[in-house]
Amino acid sequence: MNISEPFIRRPIATALAMWGLAMVGLVAYFLLPVAPLPQVDFPTIQVTAQLPGTSPETMASSVASPLERQLAQMSGVAQLTSVSGIGISVISIQFELSRNIDAAGQDVQAAINAATGQLPKNLPSPPTYRKTNPSDPPVMVLAMTSDTLPLTTVSDYADNMFAQQLSQVDGVAAVLIAGAQKPAVRVEANPLELAGRGLSLEDLRSAIATATLNAPKGTLNGQRQGYTLENNDQLLSAAHYRPVIVAWRNGSPVRLRGSGTYNGQPSIILIIQRQPGVNVIDTVEHIKAALPRLKASIPPAIDVHIVTDRTQTIRASVDDVQFTLMLTIALVVMVIFLFLRNLWATLIPGITVPLSLIGTFAVMYALGYSLDNLSLMALTIATGFVVDDAIVMVENVARYLEQGHSPLAAALKGSREIGFTIISISLSLIAVFIPVLLMGGIIGRLFREFAVTVSVAILVSTVVSLTLTPMMCAQLLRDEKHRQHGRLYRASERFFERMLAIYESGLRWVLRHRRLTLSATIATIVLTGYLYVLIPKGFFPQQDTGFIVAVSESSQDVSYPAMLERQAQLVRILLADPGVDGVISAVGVGGINQTMNNGRMFVNLKPRDQRDASASQIIDRLRPKLAAVQGIALFMQASQDINVGGRASRTQYQFTLQDADLDELDHWAPILLRSLQAIPLLRDVATDQQIAGPTLRLEINRDTASRLGVATQAIDDTLYDAFGQRKIAQFFTQQNSYWVILEVDPQFQLDPNALDLIYVPSSSGRQVPLSALVEQKRTVRSLSVSHQGQFPAITLSFNLAAGAALGQAVEAIEKAKRDLNVPPTLITSFQGNAQAFQDSLRTQPLLILAALIAVYIILGALYESLIHPITILSTIPSAGVGALLILMAFNLELSVIALIGILLLIGIVKKNAIMMIDFAINAEQAEGMNPEDAIYQAAIKRFRPIMMTTFAALLGALPLALGHGTGAEIRRPLGYAIVGGLLVSQFLTLYTTPVVYLALHRFSRSRARKLTSLSVEPAIAAE
């Protein structure tokens, strides 16, 4: 049976069918979305609750814990973490990949509703949730500035117009405002004057709360006319409050504390985050489309700057890999021309290879895939695969042409002979990816698109090679061997004949020394295992996305002005670096910072071709300069496209400690921190433990309070009125609502002595000095409280030193923990990317084994043999040796990307053995050759196509290995692994495959003889 015959005999129908495939693929290409990586994100939701002025411990116990208890009961929760600071609790819920984020959002809202009855009654507003991952970098950052308008006005427009409208853009999860200066009416009370008039802060709060209302009044409905009732019950400015309580109150519009800067200039910063799972470029394009309309709605004096746009590096990375793909196609076609030295023979693969890739675009669009680094990398690698089918077909048809057959007869006979080989190669290649397709977790989801793209390209190539390629061979190829050729052709032919002669000589030698050759094969298996254990292991290569996220940390007793000044010093150092394009800085509690002593920075780097260093190198050279700033530290990490986990940390990798005993946790966390800081493989080791915040503890004398008629509630309310920036009333405009905030005059908030001036109302109406009711004790308490899985947790985070692998760092940390003999009640675990690395490391050997088993099953079924697949698989260890050696030589770790390269090698190198064994089996069956002659002739006859396909695959991977453009660092390990594996396996398998074939043939024949003799003996005995 010849599958190709109908297509060879109907060239027009075949050409039109392929033309239609090309048109569909081209249309699909322009419809495919662009992304940095496949859209695989854990569904993550962030819940926020605020109660201004409340301590972190109180927020954790009375707000975060009730919410966590309800949220933990939802199905599909993979991770539940929370951070509570002064007046705010932020809970992150990460769900399993199978959960739909919209359905998860409904469950979160139901959990919030269920927890409402357990939350404090004085929450200003119910907890809210957003579909966003706090560990994800923003997709865009905007800065709003003005040279003439006050920053409060700019902040008002940012809040009322930009943030509200941008939050409605498709794909946007949240718009955070850093440096917001939202107007408010702040009532600054003088406690001495109040006490002198017999009034308390509670009296003041009640009077103001009842002085401004926004309530319905009703309507008048007459016989002919109706009226809507309205009055001036709502007070809209500080001036409106003055007549209300003139004697003891002075109000003025003020600003909430917070500061944002862009390159040192005071600004309002809009930090835009996307929803998990949406396309980054589509989201940013929607934002850009909305900006002109939003700019037109604000005064011209306000300037809007796009500070960070992540799509720039994404587009640059995708453009670079597209160029790499085109270069690979050109190199592969060049290899074919150098081997065939015939324009028409080269034209056939030159058409079929791009056609196979273009046809793959149509399937990618149907499956909802995108043009991203992994899918385009898959197509680049697939170029070396898909050309194999065309090469094998063209070379086989050309061989029959040289034997004197007509083009049609040569195409029919060559396609019939080689058709099964092409199907075998293709199916065994796809079998390599079966384990990848079945992988779970984020790694499996991430590489599923890669595996499917390569598999589809191989399938399309198989169809094209069995239809269009033989048809074009019949139409275009002619016998070239017996024609008169030029000097260059004859010189190249002599070169190939010399190569073949050298190979023949070496092949005869190894066939005479089979035991030595088999020993070399066994040695490569042992060496592969040894190198696998020896090579450093990693997760994903460190990317340079042109964006650095930084967290500053000062002493826990730092004041706001001091923090602002220290942060400004860091900004000046960052801006002085030649690789830095711009810096966004934010200081102050709220939005993106939970504590006063922490600041946040977003550092935008210049395009890669305009700077002399990568993001990691810039971090390394900035580290000593920033360390010279007194009283503050800056922890930086290069933003990555792959972020696992829902916890934002100071540096890239996370090591979490959990303990039900909070005192034990607080004791061991600093010890482990110091131990990790001493490990040379780690850099920027940080902790989120902050337990040294200055605290003034007031011990209430309950007997005295009871005797004087003062309730504990009155004491708490008075303190909250005086120092908690209590929101006591709200007024509304057409666009927004604003708060009236009560506090004592700032001059009475400077030191603990101010408490002596505070008076508390008693049940009799007398004002009792607070100092008569409480005793002051100075102590330290937490500035923030973190939970993981409802238990107290502390996270230590770290970056890697230059040249260090994540696997080495994990082993060093585990050793340090064992050396400290930590108690068993202290539970430690790696989180985020480090946890995903550990999961992938455990599955790596199983993944390789599963790929080998899958290939064996496919080959065994195709050849109806248990022996021939072993011969084919014997080629793989040499490829593993080459891949691991070149990775180690170039100081590259065995990352997930490099592992995929090794899996690809399983598919690539075995094709050499397939081509040899197919020929040998046919020679034995059709021509009656003995196994020695058959495999010898197979090796000689298949030498040229093996060399062609190997060099095509080699040059297909070479641009990936040598690339230095944007995003090249994530593709480079794949290229190196394939190049190294091919260089070593190409040399070894050309010699070892014939020897292994004969050894296994002899083994199967001797075993068959034994089985025959065992079956004959009982028959003789029976006679």
Side-chain angles (χ1 to χ4, degrees), residues 16 26 95 136 221 274 301 332 442 466 480 540 613 695 842 990:
L16 290 175
L26 285 173
F95 294 89
D136 279 349
N221 298 294
R274 68 179 177 95
V332 167
I442 191 169
L466 293 175
E480 298 290 334
F540 273 83
T695 302
R842 283 192 291 267
L990 282 172

Side-chain angles (χ1 to χ4, degrees), residues 223-245:
Q223 291 293 330
R224 298 185 178 181
Q225 196 169 10
Y227 298 89
T228 300
L229 298 180
E230 186 61 75
N231 64 11
N232 62 340
D233 58 348
Q234 187 172 212
L235 306 177
L236 300 177
S237 69
H240 294 160
Y241 283 84
R242 289 193 177 95
V244 177
I245 317 172

Side-chain angles (χ1 to χ4, degrees), residues 939-958:
I940 300 303
K941 297 293 185 183
R942 293 301 190 205
F943 177 73
R944 180 171 292 190
I946 286 174
M947 294 296 292
M948 288 173 65
T949 57
T950 301
F951 273 100
L954 188 69
L955 290 180
L958 198 60

Side-chain angles (χ1 to χ4, degrees), residues 575-590:
L575 289 173
D577 190 278
V580 173
D581 186 47
V583 178
I584 288 289
S585 169
V587 172
V589 178

Side-chain angles (χ1 to χ4, degrees), residues 243-264:
V244 177
I245 317 172
V246 176
W248 43 265
R249 199 287 270 118
N250 178 31
S252 61
V254 292
R255 305 169 185 176
L256 293 175
R257 282 189 170 182
S259 172
T261 65
Y262 168 49
N263 291 352

Side-chain angles (χ1 to χ4, degrees), residues 297-312:
S297 64
I298 62 175
I302 298 178
D303 298 319
V304 180
H305 311 273
I306 297 179
V307 180
T308 298
D309 178 2
R310 283 193 62 211
T311 62
Q312 293 180 348

Side-chain angles (χ1 to χ4, degrees), residues 83-333:
V83 179
S84 297
I86 298 176
I88 185 171
S89 287
V90 179
I91 304 172
S92 297
I93 313 105
Q94 189 170 92
F95 294 89
E96 295 173 354
L97 283 168
S98 57
R99 281 299 305 265
N100 177 273
I101 193 168
D102 295 322
Q106 295 174 6
D107 290 347
V108 168
Q109 185 61 62
I112 292 173
N113 295 339
T116 301
Q118 305 171 48
L119 297 176
K121 304 304 178 185
N122 57 341
L123 278 179
S125 57
T128 59
Y129 77 89
R130 287 174 173 172
K131 302 169 187 175
T132 181
N133 190 337
S135 66
D136 279 349
V139 295
M140 180 177 279
V141 178
L142 304 176
M144 299 180 67
T145 61
S146 179
D147 296 329
T148 57
L149 296 177
L151 212 54
T152 49
T153 303
V154 179
S155 179
D156 218 22
Y157 279 106
D159 187 17
N160 296 338
M161 300 297 297
F162 269 69
Q164 298 296 324
Q165 294 295 316
L166 290 177
S167 296
Q168 300 173 19
V169 171
D170 189 27
V172 173
V175 180
L176 305 177
I177 302 178
Q181 301 197 9
K182 187 175 180 179
V185 172
R186 189 180 297 269
V187 179
E188 297 176 346
N190 187 318
L192 295 178
E193 290 189 18
L194 284 175
R197 301 175 190 277
L199 297 172
S200 67
L201 287 167
E202 277 295 284
D203 294 330
L204 178 61
R205 180 176 68 85
S206 299
I208 295 176
T210 57
T212 179
L213 299 172
N214 189 25
K217 289 82 180 175
T219 60
L220 297 177
N221 298 294
Q223 291 293 330
R224 298 185 178 181
Q225 196 169 10
Y227 298 89
T228 300
L229 298 180
E230 186 61 75
N231 64 11
N232 62 340
D233 58 348
Q234 187 172 212
L235 306 177
L236 300 177
S237 69
H240 294 160
Y241 283 84
R242 289 193 177 95
V244 177
I245 317 172
V246 176
W248 43 265
R249 199 287 270 118
N250 178 31
S252 61
V254 292
R255 305 169 185 176
L256 293 175
R257 282 189 170 182
S259 172
T261 65
Y262 168 49
N263 291 352
Q265 180 184 4
S267 310
I268 303 300
I269 309 302
L270 301 178
I271 301 167
I272 305 172
Q273 291 184 303
R274 68 179 177 95
Q275 293 182 13
V278 302
N279 184 275
V280 176
I281 289 186
D282 287 348
T283 301
V284 171
E285 288 301 318
H286 292 152
I287 294 170
K288 288 182 176 179
L291 283 180
R293 173 176 53 83
L294 292 175
K295 288 180 180 179
S297 64
I298 62 175
I302 298 178
D303 298 319
V304 180
H305 311 273
I306 297 179
V307 180
T308 298
D309 178 2
R310 283 193 62 211
T311 62
Q312 293 180 348
T313 54
I314 293 172
R315 292 182 190 278
S317 178
V318 171
D319 289 345
D320 187 73
V321 74
Q322 285 178 324
F323 171 77
T324 302
L325 174 60
M326 299 305 296
L327 177 62
T328 299
I329 294 173
L331 289 174
V332 167
V333 172

